[in-house]
Amino acid sequence: ANHIFRWLPHLAGTGGLPANETTFATLLRQAGYATALIGKWHLGLKCASGSFCHHPNNHGFDYFYGTPITNFRECGEDDDSGYYMSSYYVKYKQVCWAFLVGAVSVLLLKSLGKLSLRWLWLLLVLTVFALILASVKIYIVQLKTWTCVLMENENIVEQPYSLKNLTPSLVNKSVKFIEDNADRPFFLFHSFLKVHTALYADKEFEGRSRHGRYGDNVEEVDWAVGRILDVIEEKGLSQKTFVYLTSDNGGHVEKISVKDGQREGGHNGILRGGKCMGGWEGGIRMPTVLRWPKDVHPGTVVDEPTSLMDVFPTVLRLAHLKIPADRVIDGRDLMPLLTGNKTVSDHQFLVHYCGSMIHAARYRPPTGKSVWKAHFATPRWDPGTEGCYKDMVCRCMEGFIEHHDPPLLFNIGKDPSERNPITPENEPKFAEIVATIAESVKDHRSSIEEVESQFSLRNIMWRPWLQPCCGHFPFCSCTNTP
């Protein structure tokens, strides 16, 4: 998509997880598992027909309680918006001022008889432009109401939702699901809305951490994970429950509070880059903690390239289900690595995208400890920084990236911080390594079938008639009363 959005910005579009995609929740449900998604979905809601085609209930989940989108900054309680911090909003304000000055000037000229345009046409044109500009501000102001929606299955239970007690509420739903299904096979996907701006923790965790609001939210997540593990233990399910905890991206380094300077997007330590930065490790290299006492010894450490895509075949194997044969499955079963039967990842190559563009690829040779990564393109950071602070997020399209030919090459097995580029001068096999990675990317491209992006302007265009509303649109409001 040739625009800034690589996510679904609201609930009234038609983009989402296509019906022909098979989730492991669908396969588990078909095998008799009770399935639930508690928390964040953000894979679409409705089709153009108005049906809930992208809803979790239509992708394998018997029960859904959470938000069909995500925890946007607008969902906080200080009437803040990410749009206010964007360079686009600065340009919007400049256009508004230019229009105001221009409108006053034109009306003055007309009053003085210097314009021959009829009053009716003049006022009509000015009114249309004023309404267009006003609609942008109205949309931003209404984002909290229209976007921050809490649902139970297909029903809205709170609009807009309150972040103050949302984590305990979601945990309670997960606990109840486990208790209700302890005597049968179940799959629970507890999808945390944290740690993501807006940052609001329950009263018990406010001011608890030495690391500000972000730390408070991390401690709340820690409590939530512990509560879920506790109920698994209480029900005697620890030995036969696979637990997998990870994150979908690294810290959003540009998220710094304009009010008090607190770092709200997290920190990536020695890793370079962050969220929405294509192939830099800071945005894509995530720790994972898992538990499967039957086969995985406590303290086992795997330091090999793996992927969230690996959850699909791993879960199916543990459930004794077959992997679908009608499509390419990019994930690899993790169990051989976790049990020690293998010491090298099955992912010889992993390709890293920024939007629909390949920015980098990594290569794990079958022997040795090296993991090579080539950057074909990188985001154009603001001068003197390693981030896109002006726009709050790095973009993927031409004009906002730097191409590299030959690519930037790093051995992230030895240099995970990506500070020491590999060159022909310090690595005799430079050309061979780059050629091997380039060939793998070529093979990958040839396997891709071009389809319309779910983030195309047509799919993300806001359609008022698709807007979920508790009450009478545009005045949507309801409160979740226990």
Side-chain angles (χ1 to χ4, degrees):
N2 294 317
H3 52 74
I4 191 171
F5 291 110
R6 283 120 67 189
W7 57 89
L8 301 173
H10 48 71
L11 291 171
T14 58
L17 186 63
N20 63 350
E21 292 292 348
T22 301
T23 68
F24 55 85
T26 297
L27 299 176
L28 290 171
R29 182 166 67 177
Q30 290 172 356
Y33 281 68
T35 58
L37 169 60
I38 310 295
K40 165 185 170 179
W41 173 241
H42 209 181
L43 289 173
L45 192 61
K46 294 183 179 181
C47 284
S49 63
S51 68
F52 285 91
C53 63
H54 302 308
H55 191 281
N57 290 157
N58 287 317
H59 282 287
F61 293 98
D62 299 317
Y63 181 70
F64 170 63
Y65 186 90
T67 176
I69 196 158
T70 188
N71 172 20
F72 285 126
R73 182 179 288 271
E74 289 77 15
C75 299
E77 299 183 10
D78 54 6
D79 297 321
D80 197 4
S81 172
Y83 289 97
Y84 294 147
M85 306 171 74
S86 166
S87 61
Y88 289 108
Y89 190 73
V90 173
K91 294 173 183 176
Y92 165 73
K93 289 195 295 185
Q94 292 171 346
V95 170
C96 288
W97 279 111
F99 170 76
L100 182 61
V101 171
V104 171
S105 302
V106 167
L107 291 172
L108 184 59
L109 289 172
K110 177 62 178 175
S111 300
L112 296 174
K114 301 294 185 180
L115 286 179
S116 58
L117 190 65
R118 294 175 58 185
W119 274 107
L120 178 62
W121 286 108
L122 177 61
L123 293 174
L124 181 62
V125 170
L126 292 177
T127 300
V128 169
F129 273 97
L131 288 173
I132 292 173
L133 291 174
S135 66
V136 175
K137 182 67 175 180
I138 292 169
Y139 175 78
I140 294 175
V141 170
Q142 285 293 111
L143 263 180
K144 178 174 182 175
T145 299
W146 293 340
T147 303
C148 307
V149 174
L150 190 66
M151 301 182 75
E152 185 166 32
N153 293 323
E154 295 183 358
N155 302 312
I156 300 173
V157 294
E158 190 172 353
Q159 186 178 16
Y161 58 70
S162 169
L163 284 170
K164 283 290 185 181
N165 59 358
L166 187 56
T167 299
S169 175
L170 296 176
V171 168
N172 289 339
K173 292 292 183 180
S174 286
V175 167
K176 186 176 186 307
F177 175 78
I178 294 170
E179 291 174 340
D180 290 347
N181 295 281
D183 296 327
R184 60 173 294 191
F186 68 84
F187 166 56
L188 168 65
F189 179 17
H190 188 100
S191 179
F192 287 99
L193 275 72
K194 298 176 180 287
V195 181
H196 191 294
T197 52
L199 296 177
Y200 286 91
D202 196 51
K203 284 184 179 180
E204 182 183 349
F205 299 96
E206 282 184 350
R208 181 167 165 173
S209 168
R210 291 179 296 172
H211 299 283
R213 288 184 295 275
Y214 189 89
D216 293 345
N217 280 256
V218 170
E219 294 206 15
E220 188 177 56
V221 170
D222 180 65
W223 164 82
V225 172
R227 182 70 189 94
I228 293 171
L229 292 179
D230 284 346
V231 74
I232 291 173
E233 184 72 32
E234 290 163 9
K235 292 296 178 181
L237 302 173
S238 295
Q239 295 300 310
K240 55 180 181 180
T241 301
F242 180 68
V243 179
Y244 189 99
L245 175 66
T246 191
S247 179
D248 56 348
N249 53 254
H252 194 161
V253 299
E254 294 91 350
K255 287 293 182 76
I256 297 175
S257 172
V258 295
K259 295 179 180 178
D260 56 16
Q262 285 197 29
R263 185 182 290 275
E264 295 188 326
H267 190 267
N268 297 316
I270 67 168
L271 302 180
R272 202 171 184 185
K275 179 180 179 180
C276 296
M277 293 192 193
W280 289 115
E281 290 290 277
I284 59 178
R285 185 170 181 151
M286 294 296 98
T288 293
V289 182
L290 60 83
R291 187 174 75 178
W292 182 238
K294 287 176 64 176
D295 296 311
V296 182
H297 297 299
T300 298
V301 176
V302 173
D303 190 20
E304 285 287 313
T306 62
S307 166
L308 268 174
M309 297 183 295
D310 300 336
V311 177
F312 186 95
T314 303
V315 168
L316 293 186
R317 169 182 171 160
L318 295 178
H320 306 290
L321 298 176
K322 292 182 179 180
I323 294 174
D326 61 343
R327 64 198 64 209
V328 175
I329 302 298
D330 294 305
R332 300 292 183 266
D333 180 9
L334 289 171
M335 292 312 296
L337 277 177
L338 294 172
T339 56
N341 291 331
K342 285 188 177 182
T343 57
V344 176
S345 172
D346 282 340
H347 287 291
Q348 188 173 14
F349 300 99
L350 281 171
V351 178
H352 304 298
Y353 280 82
C354 185
S356 57
M357 293 182 61
I358 295 175
H359 271 209
R362 73 183 64 209
Y363 165 43
R364 173 59 167 110
T367 59
K369 295 292 184 182
S370 294
V371 180
W372 306 101
K373 189 166 74 169
H375 290 266
F376 303 101
T378 53
R380 187 176 294 165
W381 289 328
D382 295 346
T385 75
E386 291 192 351
C388 304
Y389 294 89
K390 183 180 176 183
D391 292 323
M392 295 303 297
V393 65
C394 292
R395 305 184 220 177
C396 300
M397 56 273 208
E398 294 297 336
F400 298 93
I401 59 175
E402 300 285 350
H403 291 277
H404 304 287
D405 186 13
L408 295 177
L409 184 66
F410 297 94
N411 184 351
I412 56 174
K414 297 179 179 178
D415 176 31
S417 61
E418 298 176 286
R419 297 287 175 184
N420 304 296
I422 304 299
T423 65
E425 289 70 33
N426 59 28
E427 175 51 64
K429 294 185 177 181
F430 177 88
E432 178 186 338
I433 295 166
V434 168
T436 300
I437 296 175
E439 186 65 26
S440 76
V441 171
K442 180 181 177 182
D443 291 343
H444 172 75
R445 289 187 196 277
S446 68
S447 71
I448 301 298
E449 181 183 346
E450 290 288 337
V451 295
E452 181 186 6
S453 169
Q454 295 298 317
F455 308 121
S456 67
L457 288 176
R458 185 176 75 89
N459 279 324
I460 67 169
M461 182 178 68
W462 185 66
R463 296 165 171 83
W465 55 92
L466 296 182
Q467 176 62 52
C469 184
C470 186
H472 300 287
F473 183 81
F475 307 107
C476 310
S477 177
C478 58
T479 307
N480 184 17
T481 354

